[in-house]
Amino acid sequence: MPNRPSTPRRLLLVRHVALAGLAAWLLSACAGVPPEAGRTVAELTAQAERWDQAIVRKDRAAIEANMADDFRQIDGAGNVESKPSFVDDLMSPDLQIDPYTVEDFEVRLYGDTALLSGRTRMSGRYQGRPFATHYRYIDVYVKRDGRWRIVSVQISRIP
């Protein structure tokens, strides 16, 4: 969507999530990282992938379930979106997002805060016209009441 870069998100393929989870567990085991950290990385990787799939299929309930009520997004133009405005933009009948993948995906843990980042090339249609975008993102997740929720997203366009 050329006029609203805030809407695009990323989608990992199920096969990649399983491999990423296994790789995270193996790396944590070999690097002396506590097994719990490897499990958390795998959990967050799978959760982010499910959220991306929900976005592509426009599953409002699944999208909102992953988000904290105080969610904020800073888009590529510096605009700030709230949870309601972000979800409403995704649900717009004008927007159709094609399945997409993430490059350079990384999860960094800081206690009950996690930073998930990567690069995404996305395509789709907005108001019937094709669009393509390439951006780097960072998603901030916080663990509250035993559940990880996304609290913040920031994207930067890559020319």
Side-chain angles (χ1 to χ4, degrees):
M1 175 172 55
N3 295 335
R4 298 231 15 148
S6 65
T7 304
R9 299 286 312 132
R10 68 221 175 281
L11 178 74
L12 297 172
L13 301 173
V14 173
R15 180 179 66 196
H16 290 136
V17 170
L19 291 174
L22 178 60
W25 181 81
L26 287 172
L27 286 172
S28 69
C30 295
V33 174
E36 179 61 30
R39 284 191 295 273
T40 301
V41 168
E43 173 188 349
L44 285 164
T45 300
Q47 185 171 338
E49 194 275 333
R50 286 189 304 271
W51 194 48
D52 291 334
Q53 289 178 351
I55 287 170
V56 169
R57 71 176 184 270
K58 294 182 177 262
D59 182 341
R60 180 183 286 270
I63 293 166
E64 290 176 339
N66 189 56
M67 301 170 76
D69 289 337
D70 60 345
F71 171 89
R72 295 292 181 269
Q73 183 208 26
I74 300 171
D75 70 18
N79 300 308
V80 178
E81 300 283 344
S82 65
K83 179 178 179 176
S85 64
F86 180 85
V87 175
D88 287 347
D89 284 349
L90 290 174
M91 295 297 107
S92 170
D94 290 336
L95 176 67
Q96 180 64 44
I97 299 173
D98 297 331
Y100 52 96
T101 58
V102 173
E103 303 163 352
D104 301 330
F105 183 74
E106 179 182 39
V107 176
R108 295 178 2 231
L109 300 175
Y110 302 94
D112 287 342
T113 302
L115 306 178
L116 283 64
S117 60
R119 290 183 298 120
T120 298
R121 295 178 191 273
M122 183 178 291
S123 62
R125 284 148 308 289
Y126 183 71
Q127 296 181 337
R129 291 177 296 199
F131 73 84
T133 186
H134 185 204
Y135 62 90
R136 185 172 302 282
Y137 71 90
I138 189 159
D139 293 348
V140 180
Y141 279 74
V142 174
K143 192 171 192 178
R144 295 177 178 161
D145 300 322
R147 292 207 50 202
W148 289 100
R149 297 271 196 265
I150 192 166
V151 296
S152 184
V153 171
Q154 183 161 356
I155 66 170
S156 298
R157 285 181 178 250
I158 298 173

